[in-house]
Amino acid sequence: MHAPAPSSPILVIDDDATSLELVVEVLGLDGYAVRKATTAEQGLALAAQEPPALILMDLHFSGGMSGIDATRRLKGDPRTVDIPVVALTGLAVREAERRAGHAGFAAYLTKPLDVTTLRETVRRFVGEAPG
């Protein structure tokens, strides 16, 4: 088990193109290195190859594995267990947030995303962008 370096990229996993591009653009403007994936499976592969400092993950994908199942896998893998995972979802209900917490998500952000809250959440987990 090793924690990713503070300069490691942030991995955004979301199949909604609008949300994905918003997050990538905001974090890029803030100076963070960002990688992106549009499926949970693709995100898991990227996280295993080069562990990111933080993962922002949608809960529901149009096909394949859910974000909850993907996070359970991340938390069960010694290479990725220590990476904080933040939920990105349109579900603003307590039950969904509770389930996400039980799956290992460190925080829960609802869509449409509030840019200020997104920035504050990222800084809470990885600090200011390097450089």
Side-chain angles (χ1 to χ4, degrees), residues 15-98:
D15 63 348
D16 179 76
T18 303
S19 293
L20 182 64
E21 291 310 314
L22 172 68
V23 173
V24 169
E25 184 174 330
V26 167
L27 297 182
L29 287 172
D30 289 351
Y32 295 100
V34 182
R35 288 186 300 160
K36 58 185 178 178
T38 56
T39 68
E41 293 85 356
Q42 183 184 36
L44 288 174
L46 288 172
Q49 287 171 0
E50 181 187 349
L54 175 68
I55 297 172
L56 302 172
M57 175 141 20
D58 191 8
L59 291 185
H60 300 284
F61 294 90
S62 56
M65 183 185 310
S66 75
I68 287 181
D69 289 337
T71 298
R72 286 185 178 127
R73 286 195 186 184
L74 289 164
K75 295 305 172 183
D77 185 333
R79 298 171 296 177
T80 56
V81 66
D82 294 325
I83 301 169
V85 182
V86 174
L88 301 177
T89 183
L91 293 174
V93 294
R94 285 197 183 271
E95 177 59 23
E97 187 171 356
R98 186 188 65 73

